[in-house]
Amino acid sequence: MAKWGQGDPRWIVEERADATNVNNWHWTERDATSWSKRKLKEVLEGLVVEGEAGRCEIGDLKHVEGEASCNSRKGKLIFFYEWNLRLSWKGTVKESGEKHKGSVEIPNLSEENEVDDTEINVSKKKGEGDVLKDLMRTEGTTKVREALRDYLKALKTEFTLGMILPTKAPVGQELPTEQKPSGDTVQDSVSPQSLDTVGVKIPTVRILMREMFNSPADELYSIFTTKELVQKFSKCPAVIEAEKGGKLQMFEGCVSGEYTELVPSQRIVLKWRCRSWPDEHYATVALTFQDVGAQTELQLECKGVPVSAEESTRQCWKKQYFEEIHLLLQQSQDSME
């Protein structure tokens, strides 16, 4: 084995006194079965399907059989999942007002098949109402596939948040140079000068992001500090104690922290960490709210992010925070119209 600091760093296992499985080089596995059952129930139940024939709604997830796991080897994540699902549905024919029931079966949702190729069978109890069955076979199947994609997206982002542990940077090795921002996201150049030593003395990086929201600053601020609103956009139970020294916990414990500064409608500062980061290692997150006409520009500064967790952290804020808050605001606006 090459010594630390020599050869290609991707093929070197760092020696550490604390015996940490650095960067998950050795095979590690995390069971995602219980989490997946809750997430599948969340994304599938309550789906509404409407068309000229009538209106249908997905009911309970009657049968869930299978398992899911996330494995890590040499810093790469590998997903295994296999599910047999059965859902109930009920609907009303538009013209006659007749009500009908049926089921949706997904016999094999697995990593071996793309969602578009996954078999979805729709059945209906005896009697008339085939127009609703046809509606479920077409529009309903499309909605179910979208929900399954949401589950897989969450499995690969929300569940695995921070799963890859940081490793120290070899002497003389430069970190990636500046990446071009996409959309309204702006990221700092990542250079040796931007590294900090935090907690367990790991190399860290600062992330800057900007996002525009169709909301006044006070409303956006409340979304980050009100428990009910946080639970709406995160779709998970949360602990939100929005006061100095108050605790924060989101995404079923994947993210936790503490409020250190709050200026209503202007600024929030947090100690913030992912569950699988080294113990007691926190980043410092500063959220600044700027009124721009009828919109608000949110400026995010996240300092102290482990270098190897840079991409997953950026994706967490983009996918799990910003995109979900946009959806929450849009739903609120739609309900007022």
Side-chain angles (χ1 to χ4, degrees):
M1 180 181 292
K3 293 181 180 179
W4 186 259
Q6 298 179 1
D8 190 332
R10 294 173 301 175
W11 302 101
I12 299 173
V13 182
E14 177 186 349
E15 294 181 1
R16 285 177 56 148
D18 59 7
T20 298
N21 182 11
V22 177
N23 219 19
N24 285 340
W25 178 268
H26 306 293
W27 184 275
T28 59
E29 179 174 338
R30 183 186 291 178
D31 184 11
T33 302
S34 296
W35 178 91
S36 292
K37 288 180 179 180
R38 291 193 297 271
K39 181 58 68 172
L40 285 165
K41 186 179 180 72
E42 175 189 308
V43 300
L44 288 166
E45 290 187 352
L47 288 177
V48 174
V49 184
E50 293 185 286
E52 294 183 359
R55 183 182 187 276
C56 298
E57 182 176 340
I58 299 289
D60 295 334
L61 186 54
K62 295 286 189 181
H63 176 77
V64 187
E65 181 182 3
E67 59 184 356
S69 64
C70 177
N71 301 275
S72 179
R73 176 71 169 114
K74 297 181 181 178
K76 294 183 179 179
L77 297 177
I78 305 166
F79 299 91
F80 297 101
Y81 53 91
E82 186 172 6
W83 295 104
N84 182 318
L85 310 172
R86 185 174 72 251
L87 301 138
S88 64
W89 67 267
K90 60 183 179 180
T92 304
V93 179
K94 189 173 183 179
E95 291 186 357
S96 65
E98 293 180 352
K99 297 183 182 298
H100 297 276
K101 298 179 179 180
S103 63
V104 177
E105 295 191 13
I106 307 168
N108 185 28
L109 172 66
S110 75
E111 77 281 352
E112 296 180 355
N113 302 307
E114 297 292 334
V115 172
D116 286 341
D117 298 325
T118 297
E119 182 181 356
I120 299 178
N121 300 317
V122 176
S123 61
K124 183 186 69 63
K125 292 186 176 181
K126 293 181 180 180
E128 297 180 355
D130 286 340
V131 289
L132 293 183
K133 182 179 178 181
D134 292 339
L135 176 63
M136 286 298 298
R137 278 179 172 172
T138 53
E139 299 298 324
T141 296
T142 299
K143 285 286 187 73
V144 169
R145 291 192 196 280
E146 290 174 356
L148 295 178
R149 291 190 189 93
D150 288 342
Y151 156 66
L152 295 177
K153 173 184 171 183
L155 175 65
K156 296 176 181 179
T157 55
E158 179 183 322
F159 179 77
T160 61
L161 187 63
M163 198 169 170
I164 301 298
L165 295 176
T167 172
K168 68 183 181 183
V171 176
Q173 178 189 345
E174 290 193 2
L175 296 169
T177 55
E178 183 175 359
Q179 300 179 14
K180 293 182 179 180
S182 59
D184 295 321
T185 299
V186 179
Q187 183 195 349
D188 269 353
S189 299
V190 183
S191 63
Q193 288 74 26
S194 67
L195 298 180
D196 306 303
T197 300
V198 181
V200 293
K201 296 183 179 180
I202 60 172
T204 64
V205 66
R206 180 177 65 150
I207 295 174
L208 292 180
M209 301 174 72
R210 289 188 175 89
E211 190 81 7
M212 295 296 296
F213 291 91
N214 293 322
S215 165
D218 58 347
E219 181 182 1
L220 187 59
Y221 177 90
S222 69
I223 289 177
F224 281 93
T225 55
T226 305
K227 179 179 179 178
E228 291 75 17
L229 295 176
V230 170
Q231 291 181 155
K232 278 188 177 181
F233 82 75
S234 67
K235 300 180 176 66
C236 293
V239 175
I240 302 295
E241 301 173 354
E243 60 183 11
K244 187 173 182 180
K247 301 302 180 184
L248 165 81
Q249 184 171 301
M250 298 174 61
F251 306 118
E252 298 185 332
C254 289
V255 165
S256 59
E258 180 181 310
Y259 291 92
T260 60
E261 180 186 348
L262 297 103
V263 181
S265 305
Q266 298 180 34
R267 182 175 170 84
I268 300 171
V269 181
L270 304 162
K271 287 173 59 180
W272 187 94
R273 63 174 269 106
C274 297
R275 178 167 51 194
S276 58
W277 289 3
D279 291 345
E280 303 305 318
H281 181 86
Y282 288 83
T284 299
V285 171
L287 301 169
T288 304
F289 303 81
Q290 296 284 346
D291 277 316
V292 183
Q295 296 181 310
T296 299
E297 180 185 75
L298 179 63
Q299 299 174 4
L300 164 73
E301 180 184 45
C302 194
K303 296 190 297 183
V305 177
V307 169
S308 61
E310 176 200 352
E311 180 61 24
S312 63
T313 302
R314 191 185 322 112
Q315 288 300 313
C316 172
W317 281 97
K318 184 175 187 296
K319 301 290 186 181
Q320 305 302 319
Y321 283 85
F322 296 168
E323 291 186 5
E324 295 299 332
I325 290 173
H326 279 303
L327 288 175
L328 177 63
L329 290 170
Q330 185 60 52
Q331 291 169 0
S332 176
Q333 291 172 7
D334 291 344
S335 64
M336 295 174 63
E337 293 179 355

